[in-house]
Amino acid sequence: MILQPTDLVPFLCRATGKCCIHNLVLLSSFDIFRIARVLNLSAKELFEKKLLTYRINPSNYWMEPILNSRSNSTCPFLFRETNGANEKYLCEIYESRPLVCRMYPLKYDTDTSLFMRFSPAEHRCYECITTENNFTLEEYLQASSVNELLNEFNRYLALIDKISAAGLNLEKIKKKKEAQKKFFEIQSILYETYPEKDNIHNALPFEEMERRVDYILESQE
Ligand code: SF4
Ligand code: SF4
């Protein structure tokens, strides 16, 4: 179902935490940067502490950073808060949560740029589906800073596309030592370098990252 900007979003979170269990949360460089800053950790430490990990994208063989679930399949940032008989499941990094989490239960189609409701089969629980709220899609996206973060996400996607177009993916570099070195160097720049422990910038130096990646891609030829 496609929502128009003025449509009401039939959604209100009841903090059951169900969408934060058995979940695949893909991260961009921007997401990692924000999480690291709020936890006062370097990007590298997020991986060392096993809060983040990688998965291989089966369609483009890119190594994508994701939130690393605990052994009980919950997000590493999900916590329970109790008050008498009431219990809530909350997010430790709520203000810096990844874009995917901010959009839930909407999703972004990169081809059409439309926001769509997840199909019923994709819902984790039905407690958040309601007609009780009165905010529109536009208001919902604004309150979650989604539009602002989508702009940077699209810049990130363009860079990944450029790297893929240059043939740097796990499948194509299997037997090419030099290409493997470049691939992991780029992965490190994108995901494990910013922020450094003693150098937490105001913003991710994305242009610097683009320049570094371009330099590696050009030196490939
Ligand atoms: S499943 Fe729905 S109600 Fe439960 S935490 Fe997620 S958004 Fe909130
Ligand atoms: S980062 Fe927060 S909102 Fe996202 S899955 Fe984890 S606990 Fe849920």
Side-chain angles (χ1 to χ4, degrees):
M1 173 183 160
I2 296 169
L3 289 177
Q4 301 304 324
T6 52
D7 287 345
L8 294 179
V9 180
F11 166 76
L12 204 57
C13 179
R14 314 282 187 190
T16 65
K18 289 186 182 168
C19 57
C20 309
I21 303 171
H22 293 294
N23 209 357
L24 176 66
V25 179
L26 300 175
L27 305 168
S28 71
S29 307
F30 290 97
D31 289 322
I32 293 176
F33 186 75
R34 274 188 289 270
I35 295 171
R37 280 177 61 197
V38 75
L39 296 175
N40 200 24
L41 294 170
S42 69
K44 207 169 179 48
E45 284 172 324
L46 291 178
F47 286 92
E48 285 167 359
K49 289 178 182 290
K50 302 195 188 314
L51 296 167
L52 309 188
T53 188
Y54 289 103
R55 73 138 199 179
I56 298 171
N57 182 318
S59 57
N60 66 3
Y61 296 99
W62 184 245
M63 262 174 63
E64 296 174 322
I66 57 172
L67 296 182
N68 192 17
S69 297
R70 301 183 181 111
S71 54
N72 62 1
S73 301
T74 59
C75 172
F77 302 117
L78 186 68
F79 71 97
R80 188 174 64 157
E81 189 179 85
T82 52
N83 182 3
N86 293 330
E87 67 174 18
K88 282 181 172 178
Y89 287 84
L90 302 171
C91 174
E92 188 192 336
I93 56 163
Y94 188 75
E95 294 304 325
S96 300
R97 68 198 185 286
L99 182 59
V100 170
C101 306
R102 280 167 197 269
M103 286 197 294
Y104 188 86
L106 307 166
K107 69 178 173 185
Y108 179 57
D109 183 306
T110 45
D111 294 328
T112 60
S113 297
L114 294 173
F115 291 92
M116 296 178 290
R117 286 284 313 283
F118 285 159
S119 67
E122 287 177 281
H123 279 299
R124 299 307 171 104
C125 76
Y126 288 90
E127 291 172 50
C128 42
I129 307 302
T130 176
T131 51
E132 279 173 30
N133 75 64
N134 55 6
F135 49 81
T136 63
L137 175 64
E138 208 167 18
E139 290 162 345
Y140 180 72
L141 297 178
Q142 201 175 351
S144 314
S145 307
V146 167
N147 283 336
E148 185 189 322
L149 300 193
L150 269 180
N151 289 338
E152 57 183 34
F153 181 64
N154 282 327
R155 283 181 73 193
Y156 164 77
L157 278 189
L159 184 57
I160 299 300
D161 284 348
K162 191 197 262 189
I163 298 165
S164 291
L168 280 185
N169 72 48
L170 281 176
E171 185 63 11
K172 290 188 183 159
I173 61 173
K174 263 183 185 164
K175 291 181 183 157
K176 301 177 186 164
K177 262 201 163 159
E178 192 56 26
Q180 284 171 13
K181 190 168 160 264
K182 290 173 192 297
F183 176 86
F184 289 109
E185 212 175 317
I186 287 177
Q187 288 269 322
S188 168
I189 292 168
L190 290 181
Y191 306 126
E192 297 188 29
T193 303
Y194 304 101
E196 294 163 300
K197 183 69 179 170
D198 301 319
N199 188 15
I200 296 195
H201 305 281
N202 291 331
L204 178 69
F206 196 68
E207 281 173 18
E208 183 184 324
M209 292 164 68
E210 286 174 314
R211 272 197 299 276
R212 291 181 65 182
V213 170
D214 279 344
Y215 179 78
I216 293 170
L217 293 181
E218 281 158 23
S219 69
Q220 190 189 16
E221 292 148 15

